[in-house]
Amino acid sequence: MAEAGGARPTIVVVDDAAEVRALVRTRLRLSGLLEVVGEAGDGAHALEVVRELRPDLVLLDVSMPVMDGLGALPRILETSPETRVVMYSGFQEHGLAHRAIDLGATAFLEKSTDLNTLADDLVRILADPDAPRATRAPEAAAVDGDEERRVLREHLERFREVFEDAAIGMATVTLAGQVVRANRSLAGIFGRSVDDLVGTSYAEFATDARAAFDDLLTGILLGTEAVGQLEHTVVGVEDRRVVATFAPVLDSSHRPLYLFAQVQDVTSQRGAEEELRRSELRFRLIVDNVEDYAIFMLSPEGLIESWNAGAQRIKGYTEQEIVGRHFRTFYPPEVQESGHPEHELELALRDGSYEEEGWRVRKDGSRFWANVLITAVHDLDGRHVGFAKVTRDFSQRRVQDEELRASEERFRLLVEHAADYAIFMLSPEGTVASWNSGAQRTSGYAADEIIGRHFRTFYPPEQQNSRHPEHELEEALREGRYEEEGWRVRQDGSRFWATVVISAVRDSQGRHVGFAKVVRDITERRVAAAQLEEANARLQQAADEQAHFLAVTAHELRTPVGVLGGTADLLAAHWSELEETERAELLDGLSSSATRLRRLLDDLLTASRLQRSKLDLQIAEVDVAQVVSTAVATAQRAHPGVAIDADLEPGLMVDGDAGRLGQAVDNLVTNALSHGAPPVVVTARFDGADVLVTVQDSGPGVSPEMRERLFERFATGRSAGGTGLGLYIVRELAREHGGDATYRPPTGDGPGAFEIRLPRATT
């Protein structure tokens, strides 16, 4: 702590950006009003420094890794109660100041505050011992030197009007998950005011996904996740479901500064998906309703060989009680005496099937009116092996005429609906043994065209060759049933997407006698689902590209612009007061920022023109060796001490725009210096009818997962930084000149390399 007798107050500067700390530290030293005794790059480190130094004042940033300012503030005051804390943030106030003061801050200053008055403001805040801790410090008055404040704009948000007026919810979130700014759309989605959102952990609105949110933050901080996405319900808003996308905004060292969040209300979409699920459930229940039918097999003599749940429900007999008995058991005595049951079998055997309605008898002696269908079943050789019998209880239909008509209508609709299904029998070997109208409508074959042929006929050639049909029967025999969706082939050769269920059929002794197969054409549903999935993918891609563009453009612009303005003002006003090392440090920053800004501007303008197909090339005969030499010399000046070699053949003439070709080569050299390892070697030589320019470095090369999208717009690695436009521009400029740009992966003989191939000049 400062001692009596005129000692300057002590201060610790906490900010995760080294260049910001350097600028603030220099300003405070030149003011002569405060003594900077320590620095920290995050909240956790700040606690250690404060515990050791016990400063009079801490200038504390909001968004930092490990522990942000809002999380560190109460811990600093607990560690050193006599220390005053001033929050110093790049986020506009928007309720954040009130939150900071509630946590114990003495004041809240935005980083847009004039640095000329920063020391005076801090001393004035510190000098008033009676100032209540819940009072915000006065705003610094605007003075000359606005350019200087631009050095701090790396921590100020851009596109304010877009942010506030966006139709989707947007927020700025610290690396620890605290919301420090929110727009009106997000407030509407969460059912709270903007002020209520600021200073609150995002996890409080997503308690059902808290663990996933913590994992998302960890992945972004570690660089394992470039963009994170979270779906959750909204706490306090009934039935509200959202999808939140979090994209990190990086500093000049490619470290996350804070997170940019986009939140979309997907309640209606999830509701539609749930309705689709319920619709499918209703369909399944209709299928399960087959318990309304008694379905069983008869021997050629009329003995019952199998029994299902519907038969037990309708007739009252268990399987053990009825299997092996003659089916005449279900007929009234007068019908049995007339030989009618045997007559039914004779007609079914002669005509293939027999159908009637009549009285039948249950186990308890009660009668019911039944609809009965008996079908003769033959094996592959045409030998009669028995009958399939289907019975339905129609008793209620006879109770009342109106109920009868209604029942008939329901049955008719059910029968018509069954035409949507191909239902047929297979022998144990897979040969088609029966055929229904739904099967004819779906596959195009008439019964006499398909019965007796193997069911592999319905499969594409590649599946036939892999013996997939036989595999289906094996699975159905082992598990009892087999179900899948896949392509099938109609008689005319066209394909359709089908849902297929194959069930193994066994007789009363458990012997396998064949398979029952149900097929439904769901091509239209698949096409609709694919279209919906494609549309969702396009929407998601557009949203991701928009978020990426906003984040990287804000990051890439604010650092060089701010450093240029702030450094120039500082050098002009205090050249003689600065130490030599300070001047050198500031001049290096000035030069590198100007180069970075110029390159970014060139890339953005070129990418825009390429996108709109409005790139104007000044075509002339160009010496490629001279273009490469200029690019290498420029890179060497910007990176003194780095080995950059050129190996050039003479007379490499092409028809092209020298400036644009220079930009392409310059981008490749810069890419090698930024993402590779020295030495960098640039070669240019003839290769058949082309001129080939190669840029290679000694680094490990491009990772396999990045190679496919290496030349796409905005394609960046997880920790590479940049706009992702450089290689996209290289390829498009090469193609504009009739050539192309490619990447050659590393081999055992050498490292990877980028290549530009251009056709030789025609004159």
Side-chain angles (χ1 to χ4, degrees):
M1 301 297 292
E3 299 177 358
R8 290 180 296 170
T10 57
I11 185 171
V12 169
V13 179
V14 183
D15 198 298
D16 61 327
E19 59 270 33
V20 173
R21 296 199 303 271
L23 189 57
V24 172
R25 180 186 66 240
T26 303
R27 268 297 183 183
L28 296 180
R29 186 186 67 78
L30 292 174
S31 74
L33 299 176
L34 294 164
E35 180 181 0
V36 180
V37 296
E39 299 180 19
D42 60 67
H45 187 201
L47 286 175
E48 298 176 3
V49 175
V50 170
R51 183 178 295 108
E52 177 184 355
L53 301 177
R54 302 285 178 164
D56 298 302
L57 190 63
V58 173
L59 188 63
L60 181 63
D61 188 20
V62 172
S63 182
M64 297 178 291
V66 183
M67 182 187 296
D68 61 27
L70 293 176
L73 173 56
R75 292 175 174 84
I76 290 175
L77 295 176
E78 182 180 355
T79 299
S80 180
E82 65 274 23
T83 297
R84 292 200 174 194
V85 179
V86 174
M87 300 303 293
Y88 191 51
S89 175
F91 301 109
Q92 283 187 301
E93 201 246 78
H94 289 285
L96 184 57
H98 300 296
R99 178 59 176 166
I101 291 172
D102 288 342
L103 291 174
T106 300
F108 181 96
L109 297 178
E110 294 179 359
K111 287 185 178 179
S112 56
T113 301
D114 195 331
L115 283 178
N116 285 319
T117 66
L118 178 60
D120 292 327
D121 291 339
L122 295 174
V123 170
R124 183 169 58 253
I125 293 168
L126 190 59
D128 185 359
D130 297 324
R133 303 182 68 85
T135 301
R136 185 181 174 205
E139 290 286 341
V143 297
D144 293 337
D146 286 344
E147 283 295 315
E148 185 172 24
R149 291 204 302 269
R150 292 164 67 184
V151 71
L152 302 175
R153 289 183 182 170
E154 182 170 353
H155 299 265
L156 294 176
E157 298 175 281
R158 294 294 189 260
F159 312 107
R160 293 172 181 171
E161 291 183 2
V162 174
F163 183 95
E164 292 298 335
D165 297 333
I168 64 174
M170 291 184 179
T172 305
V173 181
T174 71
L175 300 179
Q178 300 272 15
V179 177
V180 292
R181 186 177 177 190
N183 69 352
R184 290 184 295 272
S185 293
L186 184 61
I189 291 173
F190 281 5
R192 306 193 183 190
S193 68
V194 171
D195 289 341
D196 287 340
L197 297 180
V198 172
T200 304
S201 172
Y202 189 92
E204 292 186 20
F205 310 113
T207 55
D208 61 328
R210 183 181 294 271
F213 181 64
D214 291 341
D215 292 343
L216 181 150
L217 293 180
T218 301
I220 290 177
L221 285 174
L222 296 178
T224 59
E225 294 290 340
V227 176
Q229 191 171 86
L230 185 73
E231 181 169 340
H232 63 88
T233 57
V234 178
V235 174
V237 182
E238 186 177 0
D239 298 327
R240 179 69 53 82
R241 193 160 189 86
V242 299
V243 171
T245 302
F246 296 86
V249 177
L250 308 178
D251 64 12
S252 54
S253 300
H254 312 303
R255 298 171 305 180
L257 282 171
Y258 52 87
L259 305 179
F260 179 74
Q262 293 188 96
V263 181
Q264 294 177 284
D265 186 346
V266 296
T267 307
S268 297
Q269 178 184 343
R270 295 298 180 263
E273 293 171 353
E274 178 61 18
E275 179 58 31
L276 176 60
R277 188 193 67 80
R278 287 196 295 267
S279 176
E280 291 176 343
L281 177 61
R282 288 193 295 269
F283 173 76
R284 183 179 62 80
L285 292 174
I286 291 175
V287 174
D288 290 344
N289 202 37
V290 74
E291 289 185 358
D292 285 344
Y293 294 83
I295 304 174
F296 52 96
M297 293 290 295
L298 302 176
S299 71
E301 297 77 26
L303 301 179
I304 299 167
E305 294 185 333
S306 67
W307 200 245
N308 78 332
Q312 180 171 335
R313 186 187 66 81
I314 293 173
K315 299 179 183 291
Y317 294 94
T318 65
E319 183 176 3
Q320 293 76 14
E321 293 172 326
I322 197 63
V323 170
R325 295 174 62 178
H326 200 280
F327 85 110
R328 64 168 44 239
T329 303
F330 311 128
Y331 291 74
E334 64 275 15
V335 178
Q336 294 187 33
E337 292 173 0
S338 68
H340 185 70
E342 293 76 7
H343 178 64
E344 289 181 345
L345 298 185
E346 293 171 1
L347 293 178
L349 184 59
R350 186 192 68 194
D351 301 329
S353 66
Y354 174 81
E355 184 174 5
E356 74 165 15
E357 290 187 9
W359 290 110
R360 296 295 183 269
V361 181
R362 296 188 179 94
K363 176 184 176 181
D364 62 6
S366 63
R367 296 191 179 195
F368 66 98
W369 187 261
N371 172 270
V372 178
L373 175 64
I374 302 176
T375 304
V377 179
H378 296 82
D379 65 13
L380 294 177
D381 299 322
R383 291 174 299 196
H384 176 226
V385 295
F387 301 91
K389 192 168 189 289
V390 180
T391 302
R392 188 180 188 189
D393 182 355
F394 272 7
S395 298
Q396 292 297 323
R397 193 177 66 178
R398 296 180 59 86
V399 173
Q400 188 180 45
D401 288 345
E402 183 60 29
E403 290 182 357
L404 174 60
R405 288 192 294 271
S407 177
E408 288 178 341
E409 178 65 10
R410 287 193 298 271
F411 182 76
R412 184 183 63 81
L413 292 175
L414 180 61
V415 171
E416 290 178 355
H417 184 69
D420 288 339
Y421 294 84
I423 304 174
F424 53 97
M425 292 289 296
L426 301 177
S427 72
E429 297 75 29
T431 302
V432 179
S434 67
W435 201 243
N436 76 333
S437 61
Q440 180 169 341
R441 187 190 66 82
T442 300
S443 299
Y445 292 94
D448 58 357
E449 295 174 319
I450 195 62
I451 289 178
R453 296 175 61 179
H454 199 278
F455 85 114
R456 64 168 41 238
T457 303
F458 311 126
Y459 290 74
E462 61 272 15
Q463 291 190 338
Q464 294 189 32
N465 294 337
S466 67
R467 295 186 58 79
H468 182 68
E470 289 78 4
H471 173 70
E472 290 181 346
L473 297 187
E474 293 169 1
E475 290 292 316
L477 186 58
R478 184 177 70 247
E479 304 294 338
R481 71 192 302 270
Y482 176 82
E483 183 173 359
E484 74 164 14
E485 290 186 7
W487 291 111
R488 296 296 184 265
V489 181
R490 297 187 180 91
Q491 184 184 36
D492 61 8
S494 62
R495 298 191 179 194
F496 65 98
W497 188 262
T499 176
V500 178
V501 178
I502 302 177
S503 301
V505 178
R506 299 180 181 276
D507 64 15
S508 57
Q509 283 75 42
R511 293 174 298 195
H512 176 226
V513 296
F515 300 91
K517 187 173 184 187
V518 180
V519 180
R520 188 184 185 191
D521 181 354
I522 59 169
T523 306
E524 292 183 0
R525 188 173 72 182
R526 174 181 169 84
V527 170
Q531 291 173 343
L532 178 59
E533 182 177 355
E534 182 180 355
N536 286 337
R538 288 197 299 269
L539 289 174
Q540 184 61 51
Q541 181 179 2
D544 291 346
E545 287 189 357
Q546 181 189 46
H548 181 80
F549 180 77
L550 291 173
V552 300
T553 304
H555 163 62
E556 294 294 329
L557 282 175
R558 58 178 161 238
T559 298
V561 171
V563 171
L564 282 173
T567 303
D569 286 348
L570 185 59
L571 290 173
H574 301 283
W575 178 269
S576 60
E577 302 172 63
L578 295 172
E579 297 176 359
E580 185 63 30
T581 56
E582 290 176 329
R583 286 197 294 267
E585 182 181 7
L586 293 172
L587 287 172
D588 286 344
L590 188 69
S591 176
S592 63
S593 293
T595 300
R596 180 177 174 184
L597 184 60
R598 183 169 55 252
R599 182 182 305 280
L600 176 61
L601 181 60
D602 287 344
D603 283 352
L604 288 174
L605 290 175
T606 301
S608 176
R609 290 168 181 164
L610 287 168
Q611 182 71 13
R612 293 180 290 126
S613 300
K614 291 187 177 181
L615 188 65
D616 186 15
L617 298 179
Q618 304 297 319
I619 302 299
E621 194 170 66
V622 178
D623 187 344
V624 174
Q626 183 177 352
V627 170
V628 173
S629 296
T630 301
V632 170
T634 300
Q636 194 68 71
R637 287 193 299 271
H639 300 82
V642 177
I644 307 175
D645 300 323
D647 183 8
L648 312 173
E649 291 185 10
L652 301 172
M653 307 304 292
V654 300
D655 292 326
D657 186 318
R660 295 302 183 185
L661 292 176
Q663 182 180 4
V665 176
D666 183 60
N667 278 2
L668 285 187
V669 175
T670 300
N671 182 73
L673 293 170
S674 300
H675 306 291
V680 176
V681 179
V682 185
T683 62
R685 59 183 177 84
F686 287 117
D687 186 21
D690 299 326
V691 172
L692 185 64
V693 179
T694 303
V695 178
Q696 68 180 32
D697 60 77
S698 300
V702 179
S703 61
E705 63 268 19
M706 273 294 298
R707 291 173 188 169
E708 290 187 2
R709 48 190 300 266
L710 190 58
F711 291 94
E712 296 178 4
R713 284 193 311 156
F714 308 128
T716 61
R718 288 179 176 173
S719 60
T723 62
L725 294 175
L727 294 178
Y728 164 74
I729 290 172
V730 170
R731 184 187 64 179
E732 295 305 312
L733 287 177
R735 290 179 175 178
E736 289 286 328
H737 286 79
D740 206 350
T742 56
Y743 173 71
R744 187 183 70 225
T747 63
D749 299 331
F754 287 89
E755 297 179 343
I756 298 177
R757 183 176 295 276
L758 302 168
R760 291 190 186 187
T762 57
T763 57

